[in-house]
Amino acid sequence: MMVPTVGERSGGSVAKPTQADEERAGVRLTNLDQPLFEDAGVSKRELVDYLDAVADRLLPQLRDRPLSVIRARPGQPPFMQKNLPKYAPAWLRSVSMWAESSRREVRYALCDDRRGLLWFANQRAVEYHPTLVTVEAPDQQPYLVLDLDPPGPGGFAQAVTAAALVRQVLTDAGLDGAVKTSGAKGLHVYVPVAAPAPVDTVAAATRALAARAERLDPALATTAYLLEEREGKVFLDAGRAGGATVVAAYSPRIRPGTPVSFPVPWADLAEVTPADFTVRTAAGLLADHDPWAAALPGPQQLPRDLIEEGEAIPIGRVQAMHEGRRRAREADRPER
């Protein structure tokens, strides 16, 4: 028996069938010939086809991880959706978890299979941001992640140079990692971590690695959390821990041309740009392979000295919050 599904909605009503509608895996797909978003350069159909083509490589990164998506509805600015809508089909699994960023309980979706991915695609979910932890082990983090964020859209070459710093400190610490484009302007470096790997331990090691990379070239890289303190440098974001999310490899991004986050060999970083990998080109580059799974090394034990160094480094987000409060108090102080 076919499971009833929910079509893309507008104003609370289900879209009527058109010639552009079809069905896959029991999911009715609607309005497929509409443009995906302004400057996307692709239709909704092309998004659906791409996600369907890479599902077997994307889904292992989403499975059992609370999922946030960024949707592109016609006539609206893109928005991040954390809470699963009430009209979601009953077969789509979900989990309620505390979201530190929004300070509330959130009912996250769990996208475990092709049917779930197609349902999200029909909802015009373009970007897929799973948490770093799974629902089975929310206190354990299997990956250490550094997000290399250059100062502007043309800063990818700076991010590549900063990635070389990160790779050097990893090597010096006896660690190995894999790198992918973020699909936007920067890079993500992943280091698989041997279990047990408590979230706080991995977070501390991440801060230490970022600090060591910054020390190698402080004119290029910075760990400054506040934007005004980065001075045009590449931000080594060490804050991806616990319930934090990172866009999955092969996920599209809401950017002109609809690029995707894509794995790149370390030796080839200087030869590529984020625009080389798009919804129209990425599936063909993959063929039958999964370069992200192949690039990731095996789980590694984090060195004790790295963890101890990181434990002495304040958490950037918390430090920035305290600094903001201090500045507010200064501003409120009457002049003498």
Side-chain angles (χ1 to χ4, degrees), residues 298-327:
Q300 300 149 82
Q301 199 72 44
L302 295 173
R304 188 65 234 169
D305 67 307
L306 191 71
I307 297 167
E308 290 174 352
E309 179 180 339
E311 288 172 341
I313 298 173
I315 298 172
R317 174 179 50 81
V318 176
Q319 193 175 27
M321 179 183 66
H322 291 319
E323 176 62 15
R325 289 174 179 171
R326 185 193 68 77
R327 293 182 183 184

Side-chain angles (χ1 to χ4, degrees), residues 102-131:
S102 52
R103 305 293 299 172
R104 62 191 174 97
E105 197 81 10
V106 172
R107 180 178 169 238
Y108 289 98
L110 297 172
C111 186
D112 296 330
D113 54 24
R114 178 181 177 232
R115 180 169 59 162
L117 188 60
L118 287 171
W119 183 83
F120 273 110
N122 191 55
Q123 299 297 305
R124 305 177 79 101
V126 180
E127 301 191 11
Y128 295 79
H129 296 251
T131 60

Side-chain angles (χ1 to χ4, degrees), residues 1-325:
M1 181 177 69
M2 186 173 65
V3 179
T5 61
V6 179
E8 182 178 17
R9 297 196 173 209
S10 176
S13 61
V14 179
K16 294 180 180 179
T18 71
Q19 290 182 347
D21 295 355
E22 63 178 70
E23 186 177 291
R24 300 185 200 179
V27 176
R28 187 161 68 84
L29 305 168
T30 60
N31 303 315
L32 291 173
D33 293 336
Q34 288 183 351
L36 187 56
F37 56 87
E38 188 177 356
D39 297 328
V42 297
S43 66
K44 180 180 172 183
R45 179 185 299 278
E46 289 174 288
L47 172 72
V48 171
D49 287 345
Y50 168 75
L51 290 172
D52 207 6
V54 302
D56 59 340
R57 283 150 285 198
L58 177 58
L59 284 168
Q61 302 172 70
L62 307 183
R63 193 168 288 120
D64 295 326
R65 298 177 186 275
L67 178 65
S68 300
V69 296
I70 299 184
R71 295 173 61 190
R73 293 285 300 276
Q76 299 180 21
F79 63 96
M80 176 167 278
Q81 180 179 289
K82 294 178 179 287
N83 260 313
L84 189 62
K86 292 181 180 178
Y87 58 77
W91 48 259
L92 190 64
R93 286 205 305 145
S94 65
V95 61
S96 292
M97 289 182 63
W98 178 258
E100 190 62 35
S101 58
S102 52
R103 305 293 299 172
R104 62 191 174 97
E105 197 81 10
V106 172
R107 180 178 169 238
Y108 289 98
L110 297 172
C111 186
D112 296 330
D113 54 24
R114 178 181 177 232
R115 180 169 59 162
L117 188 60
L118 287 171
W119 183 83
F120 273 110
N122 191 55
Q123 299 297 305
R124 305 177 79 101
V126 180
E127 301 191 11
Y128 295 79
H129 296 251
T131 60
L132 288 168
V133 298
T134 65
V135 291
E136 289 85 1
D139 58 342
Q140 300 288 315
Q141 186 167 319
Y143 298 101
L144 180 157
V145 178
L146 269 172
D147 180 1
L148 281 53
D149 185 16
F156 185 72
Q158 287 177 273
V160 170
T161 306
L165 303 180
V166 172
R167 193 182 190 196
Q168 182 61 57
V169 297
L170 286 174
T171 300
D172 293 345
L175 298 171
D176 191 14
V179 63
K180 65 183 180 72
T181 67
S182 69
K185 58 182 180 177
L187 293 163
H188 295 150
V189 178
Y190 275 59
V191 179
V193 180
V199 168
D200 290 347
T201 298
V202 179
T206 311
R207 293 194 297 273
L209 285 171
R212 290 181 182 185
E214 179 184 32
R215 289 198 294 269
L216 287 180
D217 191 347
L220 170 71
T222 180
T223 58
Y225 189 84
L226 296 175
L227 184 62
E228 61 267 27
E229 295 180 359
R230 295 179 193 169
E231 302 174 333
K233 303 173 186 178
V234 177
F235 176 41
L236 307 178
D237 185 356
R240 303 306 176 100
T245 65
V246 183
V247 71
Y250 312 122
S251 170
R253 304 300 303 268
I254 300 180
R255 301 288 191 280
T258 323
V260 306
S261 178
F262 205 84
V264 180
W266 286 101
D268 295 346
L269 277 179
E271 309 301 322
V272 304
T273 71
D276 292 337
F277 314 106
T278 72
V279 159
R280 284 187 169 170
T281 64
L285 293 171
L286 291 173
D288 294 326
H289 305 295
D290 185 349
W292 184 235
L296 287 167
Q300 300 149 82
Q301 199 72 44
L302 295 173
R304 188 65 234 169
D305 67 307
L306 191 71
I307 297 167
E308 290 174 352
E309 179 180 339
E311 288 172 341
I313 298 173
I315 298 172
R317 174 179 50 81
V318 176
Q319 193 175 27
M321 179 183 66
H322 291 319
E323 176 62 15
R325 289 174 179 171

